[in-house]
Amino acid sequence: MLDGLRFGDHIRVRSNGVLIDTNGIFIKVENNALIWSGVGTAGPFAGQPNVFITSLDGISVEKLA
């Protein structure tokens, strides 16, 4: 799932098959968390760049071309 990802790779993150926010940029994996950046799609940060910290439990990460 995360093999071969490098800082700056474009990714798509899904939780139980559902897209989380938007496509993003891989930063790193630390402990049991994926750290990545993307543009928020809801709430007060909609349309603004964000850093997401997402548990690796139950997610899939796809590297985009």
Side-chain angles (χ1 to χ4, degrees), residues 7 11 13 20-30 33-41 45 47-55:
F7 178 84
I11 59 173
V13 182
I20 298 177
D21 273 286
T22 184
N23 296 340
I25 306 292
F26 175 79
I27 297 175
K28 66 180 178 177
V29 171
E30 187 173 289
L34 170 69
I35 302 172
W36 58 292
S37 67
V39 176
T41 58
F45 299 108
Q48 301 297 315
N50 287 286
V51 173
F52 297 98
I53 300 172
T54 306
S55 171

